Amino acid sequence: MIRTVIVPPKQLCIYNNDYYKETYSFLERLNSAVFNRKELVVVDLQKVEVITAAASVLLFATINTCQLSYKNPNQVICKYPTSSNNPNGYRYIVKTGLSRALNAGTLSALDDLKNNAVFFQSATDPNRHLLTTLQLLTNKTKFNPIQLHYLMTGISEAMLNVVHHAYKDPFDDDCIHMKKQLIVKEIGERWWQCAWYDSAQNAWIFIICDLGLGIPSTYNYLRQTELYSSNPDLALRDAFVRGNSRFVGSGRGNGSEDMVKPIRNGCKESLLVYSGGAKLLYHSSMESVKVQRLDRFFNGTLVEWKLYVEQEGELQ
C-alpha cells in the first residue's frame, strides 16, 4: 500500500510569527493530500522538537477530520518521536497524550479518550461533555467557588457556540451552511479540545477548536459590510463586543462575554482567539482587546482560555 509521507517543520506553533506560516502550510499539505488527491498519508512527527498547545489541538482536529470523514482510522497514520531519539518531541507529543488522540480515528476511540481522562478530546454534545471537562480540570486543585462558576459558564458557552454558530447558516440557525454540509454529514458539528490544570502557572487552561465558518465570516454574513469583508480582524473584534451577538437576549451565543467576565470581577485570566484570518488577544492587564490580521490561517475557530486559580476568600 503506497502512502504519501508528509514531514512537518521541527517547530509547530501558531502563536509565534516566526512559525505560524510553516505550521499552516504543513496542515494545508495534509488536507490537500487527503481531500484533493484522495491519498493515504503518513505524518512523520519523529523529528518534531516542539509543538505548542494550540498547534497540538489544531493538528488533532485536522487528522481526526481526515479519519472520520473517510471512516478509516488509517487514512492518516503518524510516526512518533521516541524518548531516546528525541526526548523533547517525545515529551510534547507522547507524554501529553497527543499521540493517543492522533490515533483515535473512530467514534469509539474518541469515547475512550473521554473515559480515560486524556487531555485531548472531541465531542458534539455540550450537555454530555461539560461535566467530564470540568472534572478533568478541577480534580487536582483547590478552587474558589466563584471561579468554578466562571469556569463552568465559560466552557459551557464555548461548547454551545460551536453548536449554535460554527457550522450553521447565519440566517437560519436550524440549517447547516451550504459550505459545511458535507463535513457535518460526515463528522457532525464537532469540536476538538484540550483541557488541563497547569500547576506551574496555577491556572486552568481550556482550548477548543472547530472547523466551521469562522467568526469573521459568520459576523459579516449578518452585517454585510465591505469593511468586514476586507478586514476580518475588525469583524472579530466587533463580534466580541457585548451586544453584537445575534443571540444576545435569548441566552445563547455569549461565550466571549462569559470568558471575559472574570476579569471584570478581579480574576486574572487571558483569552486568545484565532478565527478566519484574524487573531484576538485579551488579558487581565489590558483595557481592551488587541487584534491582528493574519495572512495565513485555517478555516475555523480556535479559542484558548487561561483562568488563574485564586484561593477561597481572595475574591469578593
Side-chain angles (χ1 to χ4, degrees), residues 157 161 239-242 253-261 271:
E157 286 298 331
N161 275 351
F240 268 73
V241 176
R242 181 166 174 79
N254 300 322
S256 58
E257 174 67 16
D258 283 302
M259 285 183 168
V260 301
K261 187 184 297 182
L271 180 66

Side-chain angles (χ1 to χ4, degrees), residues 270-315:
S270 66
L271 180 66
L272 185 61
V273 181
Y274 294 86
S275 189
K279 171 183 177 180
L280 178 145
L281 174 65
Y282 185 49
H283 56 72
S284 306
S285 62
M286 298 171 62
E287 293 184 0
S288 60
V289 300
K290 177 182 178 181
V291 292
Q292 175 187 346
R293 188 172 179 177
L294 304 173
D295 54 4
R296 296 296 296 274
F297 54 93
F298 73 100
N299 293 316
T301 299
L302 183 143
V303 177
E304 178 173 325
W305 186 36
K306 186 182 298 183
L307 181 61
Y308 294 87
V309 180
E310 302 288 350
Q311 297 302 314
E312 189 167 358
E314 292 185 33
L315 296 176

